[in-house]
Amino acid sequence: MYADFTNIREKAENLKINKSQDYYIMVNTVKQFTTRNTENLFSLNNICIDFDIHSKLPIHEKKLLLDEFCWRLNRDLVSTGELPPFNAIHFTGRGVQIYWHLESTASSLLYLYQRAIDYFAIIIREFLKEYPTLERHIEIDINASKNPIGLFRMFDTYNTKAKMPTATEIYHDKALSLNELVKRLEQESEPVKAYLKRKEAIKRRYQKQELNNDILKEERTGGFSALHYKRIKIIEQLISENNDCIGKRDTMLFLAFNSARQIYPFATAKKICRKINNSFSEPLKNIDYIFKQEKVYQIKNETFFEKLGVTEEELINTGRYEMSRPNITRDLERNVRKQEQMMKKDMAKKLILSGCKLKEVAERTALSLSTVSRISADIPKSKKKKK
């Protein structure tokens, strides 16, 4: 069942709602008689932005915050034309889900669908900066919002975790054209235009830093361990910023374990994976199946970010991560320093063998006395000349 606004209310009313059970819908459709996965995605029908309040506030305070948020969102963004009018608002008991109905769109335009959600999130985050209280408590669950086959709480049902009924306000059933929506946001929205400008500046900066392909390949090979270490840190950071990762937990654990296996012993990789699982708001009860994967996969950055439900450009734009290109200049400088140090040590060894005193060797090679002493200790006494 998916959110078709022409009869969604009737479908909800026809259900015999059991308060001990949670009910969910999809916002898009998959092919008939197939499993729910991205490969079987058939059409894109709705955009749903999921907002959560993770702060430990009384229920009545959460409700007041959400009411204020929706009212200001409508006044500041919808009435001014910054965002299109939403079709429905669903108060889920834990947060709020806002729906925009789309003209049925082919699944091949998924990239455009996720881009539209990114733009919505950029506009809303910019809007929240004007209201510190709302910004402090209300978070956009971007992973859930961009998941085209994700499940969202059914309208007018019961939330067993919050132990309260959900409430829905449906405004209209008009549909938006996805192509026109993205085009309009890119041309008219100031926050989106600023984001695209920053993105282009970052792209130009990396293009200037690029050397020839052979150097890039060499540097990437040298940064293998750093790459997988950063991937694990990215997963940990995403969880800390968005603690509600239900629906993404399996994927995050798989990616973390796959990276950890490549740079740590098996036992250490398992510990890292268990630590990440425990950091979820609702840890998986048993993750032993993760450790049974024998094959280690070489995953491209593009695929890695796609599985996490975020874009590499989005992460770079926030200034949190810069892993799409190695720091070539820094690494080249480091290699030069290493070579100079090796040459100094070789010179020190020759001077020691020729019978020079350690203090004299240290002065002539610009090495510390302790380093010269270690080099001397490694040379057999029989090979040293006495002056």
Side-chain angles (χ1 to χ4, degrees):
M1 183 174 177
Y2 80 99
D4 178 4
F5 286 98
T6 55
N7 58 4
I8 189 69
R9 181 78 74 182
E10 291 129 7
K11 286 183 179 181
E13 289 174 354
N14 290 334
L15 283 174
K16 293 182 179 179
I17 302 300
N18 184 344
K19 288 187 176 182
S20 63
Q21 185 175 344
D22 291 299
Y23 296 83
Y24 297 94
I25 55 174
M26 288 180 62
V27 295
N28 302 306
T29 59
V30 294
K31 297 171 185 175
Q32 281 191 327
F33 314 115
T34 59
T35 55
R36 184 173 59 88
N37 59 48
T38 309
E39 292 178 359
N40 294 326
L41 184 65
F42 180 69
S43 66
L44 304 166
N45 306 89
N46 299 281
I47 288 175
C48 177
I49 308 292
D50 190 17
F51 301 90
D52 291 320
I53 294 182
H54 294 292
S55 309
K56 293 182 179 179
L57 298 173
I59 292 175
H60 71 278
E61 286 188 26
K62 285 186 178 182
K63 188 175 185 308
L64 289 173
L65 274 174
L66 292 172
D67 286 342
E68 181 188 355
F69 168 69
C70 293
W71 179 78
R72 291 190 184 279
L73 192 72
N74 184 60
R75 185 195 67 176
D76 294 2
L77 297 181
V78 175
S79 62
T80 59
E82 187 76 17
L83 284 179
F86 24 76
N87 294 78
I89 296 178
H90 184 204
F91 297 91
T92 62
R94 178 176 179 168
V96 65
Q97 294 167 349
I98 298 180
Y99 285 81
W100 286 269
H101 191 35
L102 300 174
E103 295 174 357
S104 186
T105 307
S107 59
S108 58
L109 293 179
L110 177 59
Y111 73 95
L112 208 59
Y113 173 84
Q114 293 184 328
R115 188 183 300 173
I117 294 173
D118 280 333
Y119 292 166
F120 276 11
I122 289 166
I123 293 168
I124 294 170
R125 282 176 180 144
E126 194 65 27
F127 147 79
L128 283 173
K129 289 178 182 178
E130 299 179 19
Y131 305 101
T133 302
L134 295 178
E135 185 183 25
R136 186 166 63 252
H137 294 291
I138 295 176
E139 299 175 11
I140 301 175
D141 190 342
I142 195 67
N143 287 336
S145 303
K146 291 177 70 173
N147 185 358
I149 56 163
L151 296 176
F152 293 85
R153 195 167 292 279
M154 177 69 183
F155 294 172
D156 299 327
T157 56
Y158 198 82
N159 187 328
T160 60
K161 293 176 184 176
K163 297 181 180 179
M164 61 183 295
T166 68
T168 312
E169 295 177 9
I170 298 178
Y171 299 99
H172 62 90
D173 59 3
K174 294 178 182 178
L176 297 168
S177 165
L178 182 59
N179 283 289
E180 291 177 6
L181 172 64
V182 171
K183 186 177 179 180
R184 184 172 72 81
L185 291 174
E186 289 179 343
Q187 291 178 349
E188 299 177 11
S189 171
E190 292 302 324
V192 172
K193 287 194 286 186
Y195 162 75
L196 293 174
K197 188 176 180 180
R198 291 194 302 270
K199 185 177 173 182
E200 185 61 29
I202 291 168
K203 184 179 178 181
R204 287 197 301 269
R205 188 179 75 200
Y206 281 121
Q207 286 174 344
K208 289 179 182 178
Q209 289 180 356
E210 278 189 336
L211 301 179
N212 60 65
N213 290 335
D214 292 334
I215 294 177
L216 279 175
K217 287 179 182 178
E218 184 179 344
E219 292 301 316
R220 283 172 181 159
T221 303
F224 178 82
S225 297
L227 170 68
H228 290 289
Y229 177 80
K230 283 182 179 180
R231 285 184 176 180
I232 294 168
K233 291 299 176 186
I234 284 173
I235 292 169
E236 291 175 345
Q237 185 70 17
L238 286 174
I239 294 170
S240 69
E241 293 176 0
N242 177 26
N243 202 249
D244 184 9
C245 297
I246 295 172
K248 286 283 183 180
R249 293 174 297 182
D250 292 305
T251 303
M252 286 181 159
L253 290 173
F254 162 77
L255 292 172
F257 186 63
N258 187 66
S259 285
R261 278 280 306 278
Q262 301 187 59
I263 56 176
Y264 295 112
F266 185 81
T268 306
K270 286 175 67 175
K271 287 180 181 178
I272 291 171
C273 210
R274 292 190 188 282
K275 180 183 175 183
I276 290 174
N277 183 50
N278 291 332
S279 67
F280 292 129
S281 58
E282 293 183 28
L284 294 173
K285 293 181 180 179
N286 186 358
I287 62 169
D288 289 339
Y289 66 94
I290 297 286
F291 309 137
K292 291 180 181 178
Q293 64 180 63
E294 296 179 359
K295 186 176 178 180
V296 175
Y297 298 88
Q298 301 303 325
I299 300 173
K300 294 181 180 179
N301 277 349
E302 182 181 355
T303 307
F304 174 76
F305 288 117
E306 183 181 346
K307 288 184 179 294
L308 287 178
V310 294
T311 63
E312 189 173 2
E313 290 83 4
E314 178 187 345
L315 293 179
I316 293 171
N317 186 59
T318 63
R320 291 177 295 175
Y321 316 111
E322 290 196 17
M323 63 176 292
S324 64
R325 292 285 187 275
N327 191 328
I328 298 166
T329 305
R330 180 198 63 198
D331 292 344
L332 287 175
E333 288 174 353
R334 183 185 295 138
N335 289 336
V336 169
R337 287 197 299 271
K338 282 184 178 179
Q339 290 176 2
E340 290 175 351
Q341 191 75 353
M342 289 299 296
M343 290 173 66
K344 288 179 181 179
K345 288 181 178 179
D346 289 340
M347 177 63 71
K349 187 175 180 181
K350 290 177 183 178
L351 291 172
I352 293 168
L353 288 171
S354 68
C356 290
K357 293 183 179 180
L358 300 186
K359 188 175 181 181
E360 181 186 352
V361 173
E363 290 174 353
R364 291 176 64 177
T365 59
L367 292 171
S368 66
L369 190 58
S370 59
T371 300
V372 174
S373 299
R374 285 197 298 271
I375 295 170
S376 178
D378 291 336
I379 301 173
K381 291 182 179 179
S382 58
K383 292 186 178 182
K384 298 176 183 176
K385 291 183 181 180
K386 292 183 180 180
K387 284 189 176 180

